[in-house]
């Protein structure tokens, strides 16, 4: 049972971890959820800090359309970002993720526990299908936080690309070269964006792209769980029947990367739909169907794989970090220091 839920200690893609269950001695009912939240929160904060630059490159690569390309690859994007915006430019929008990782996790973990309880029969072990259903239910609930978090993050991440494109167009207009000069960003903060969206469109403004977010996160769970369970069953076992750490670690990374790449076409659609600011001559979209048809017509099927390797590189470290934090038992250690807790 140790690793049936590593996905639930991680987010997707750069949003933060989800709960992962392991073969530790069971926690008491009173402190199991707090321990999960502490472990997940720490893993999420560390994970976001480590992989956010790659996530920023993914967003910018997915958003650029044919005829308005600024970046040719992930490395090219990161190099140009550092040159034009400085090192801190790679973390533009990270504050949104770091702030909302914990509430996102609280909803996800509480929902997962609720659905597992509802799907269990007399306390028996859940079947793989029921594990998947519980994960999908939790993934569905988490979009309450995930959608506005991604909405704000994408605007901040993509601001540098839009500004770089405008400067490049200005250079061509004046007959200058195509070199990307220093970008002086005047993008709004997350609080300003939230205030403007709420003022102009109400709460619905923060939930633009909700359908695409569901279409991404739920299939991710469906792909991840059976693939991880089968990979985790390979190889030799520990004396207690659990999988060795390295087997679970590799299985989680491979299954997570595979699921991330598989749902990348939906992630491209979601990113395009949630982007409020467009570059010159870039398409606008009226919904999921309109976005898919315009991408196919103007950019071809290969556009749906934009940023896929970036997503894979984001997911793998998140799984590894979550594994380390959970196996160290940081949450359990913190709770053991509190007055009234049994050691």
């Amino acid at each position: 049972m140790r690793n049936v839920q590593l996905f639930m200690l991680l987010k997707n893609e750069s949003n933060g971890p989800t709960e992962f269950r392991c073969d530790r001695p069971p926690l008491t009912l009173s402190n199991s959820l707090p321990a999960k939240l502490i472990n997940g929160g720490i893993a999420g904060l560390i994970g976001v800090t480590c992989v956010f630059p790659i996530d920023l490159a993914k967003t910018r690569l997915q958003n650029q359309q044919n005829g308005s390309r600024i970046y040719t690859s992930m490395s090219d994007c990161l190099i140009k970002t550092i040159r034009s915006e400085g090192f801190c430019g790679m973390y533009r929008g990270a504050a949104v993720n770091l702030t909302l990782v914990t509430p996102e996790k609280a909803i996800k973990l509480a929902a997962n526990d609720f659905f597992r309880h509802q799907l269990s029969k007399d306390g028996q072990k859940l079947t793989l299908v029921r594990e998947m259903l519980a994960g999908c239910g939790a993934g569905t609930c988490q979009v309450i936080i995930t959608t506005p978090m991604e909405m704000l993050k994408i605007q901040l991440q993509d601001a540098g690309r839009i500004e770089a494109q405008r400067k490049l167009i200005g250079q061509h207009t004046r007959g200058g070269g195509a070199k990307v000069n220093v970008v002086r960003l005047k993008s709004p903060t997350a609080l300003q964006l939230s205030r403007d969206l709420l003022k102009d469109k109400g709460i619905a403004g923060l939930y633009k792209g909700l359908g695409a977010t569901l279409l991404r996160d739920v299939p991710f769970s469906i792909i991840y769980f059976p693939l991880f369970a089968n990979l985790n069953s390979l190889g030799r076992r520990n004396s207690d029947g659990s999988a060795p750490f390295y087997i679970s670690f590799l299985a989680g990374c491979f299954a997570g990367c595979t699921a991330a790449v598989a749902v990348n076409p939906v992630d491209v659609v979601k990113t395009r739909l949630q982007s409020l600011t467009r570059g010159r001559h870039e398409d606008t979209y009226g919904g999921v169907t309109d976005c898919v048809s315009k991408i196919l017509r103007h950019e071809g099927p290969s556009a749906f794989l934009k940023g896929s390797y970036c997503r894979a590189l984001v997911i793998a470290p998140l799984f590894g970090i979550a594994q380390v934090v959970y196996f160290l038992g940081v949450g359990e250690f913190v709770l053991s220091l509190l007055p009234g807790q049994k050691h």
Side-chain angles (χ1 to χ4, degrees):
M1 293 296 291
R2 166 183 231 147
N3 301 306
V4 163
Q5 302 175 13
L6 171 57
F7 167 72
M8 294 308 299
L9 191 64
L10 294 162
K11 170 75 180 63
N12 112 56
E13 316 38 284
S14 68
N15 288 343
T18 74
E19 171 201 2
F20 180 73
R21 188 174 175 184
C22 76
D23 283 326
R24 287 185 161 290
L27 298 172
T28 62
L29 183 62
S30 62
N31 67 4
S32 59
L33 184 58
K36 293 174 184 176
L37 290 175
I38 293 172
N39 285 329
I42 292 174
L45 294 174
I46 297 174
V48 167
T49 303
C50 292
V51 304
F52 194 83
I54 302 176
D55 186 66
L56 178 137
K58 181 218 71 163
T59 297
R60 294 188 177 185
L61 289 172
Q62 287 181 340
N63 259 336
Q64 66 178 6
Q65 302 176 23
N66 289 349
S68 61
R69 296 184 65 185
I70 300 294
Y71 315 109
T72 59
S73 64
M74 180 186 72
S75 59
D76 181 58
C77 178
L78 293 177
I79 290 172
K80 287 180 177 177
T81 298
I82 293 175
R83 286 177 179 174
S84 61
E85 304 168 47
F87 179 81
C88 293
M90 295 193 300
Y91 285 89
R92 194 170 301 278
V96 176
N97 273 33
L98 294 172
T99 302
L100 295 178
V101 151
T102 300
E104 179 201 33
K105 197 166 334 323
I107 292 175
K108 186 182 303 182
L109 296 179
N112 182 61
D113 284 349
F114 171 79
F115 286 117
R116 286 178 59 82
H117 176 73
Q118 296 297 319
L119 292 169
S120 63
K121 294 182 178 179
D122 301 324
Q124 295 180 354
K125 176 183 176 181
L126 291 178
T127 63
L128 183 59
V129 173
R130 290 177 181 268
E131 291 276 4
M132 286 171 36
L133 289 174
C136 289
T140 302
C141 292
Q142 82 173 60
V143 298
I144 296 173
I145 298 294
T146 302
T147 303
M149 178 172 70
E150 294 256 315
M151 181 72 182
L152 297 174
K153 181 196 72 171
I154 286 173
Q155 315 315 315
L156 298 171
Q157 285 182 326
D158 203 40
R161 182 188 70 88
I162 297 296
E163 188 65 23
Q165 187 188 94
R166 288 173 179 167
K167 285 198 174 275
L168 187 59
I169 292 173
Q171 289 174 348
H172 283 303
T173 302
R174 296 189 301 269
K179 182 180 178 180
V180 177
N181 291 328
V182 175
V183 176
R184 299 188 182 280
L185 292 172
K186 298 179 180 179
S187 58
T189 65
L191 288 177
Q192 291 172 327
L193 282 170
S194 301
R195 185 173 61 249
D196 292 343
L197 286 170
L198 289 172
K199 180 180 179 180
D200 296 339
K201 301 181 180 180
I203 192 68
L206 290 173
Y207 283 89
K208 185 179 180 181
L210 174 62
T213 304
L214 285 169
L215 288 174
R216 181 196 66 175
D217 290 350
V218 173
F220 185 100
S221 304
I222 295 173
I223 295 170
Y224 173 82
F225 277 112
L227 180 57
F228 174 80
N230 282 278
L231 292 174
N232 195 49
S233 65
L234 301 176
R236 48 188 258 178
R237 319 301 287 178
N238 292 326
S239 58
D240 60 358
S242 63
F245 175 80
Y246 73 92
I247 292 289
S248 299
F249 177 83
L250 294 175
C253 289
F254 183 80
C257 290
T258 302
V261 173
V263 302
N264 193 76
V266 186
D267 190 58
V268 171
V269 173
K270 183 196 74 67
T271 300
R272 297 280 182 94
L273 289 175
Q274 289 187 318
S275 296
L276 299 177
T277 306
R278 305 284 178 190
R280 190 176 180 182
H281 304 310
E282 290 185 345
D283 289 331
T284 57
Y285 310 105
V288 173
T289 304
D290 181 54
C291 182
V292 171
S293 64
K294 285 183 177 177
I295 290 176
L296 284 173
R297 185 164 61 250
H298 299 153
E299 303 174 62
S302 61
F304 291 107
L305 294 179
K306 286 183 177 181
S308 57
Y309 61 95
C310 295
R311 277 179 58 79
L313 290 175
V314 166
I315 292 297
L318 286 176
F319 275 87
I321 292 168
Q323 280 275 29
V324 171
V325 171
Y326 198 89
F327 272 78
L328 289 176
V330 177
E332 293 86 340
F333 174 75
V334 170
L335 289 175
S336 70
L337 299 178
L338 298 178
Q341 296 292 327
K342 294 181 178 181
H343 295 264

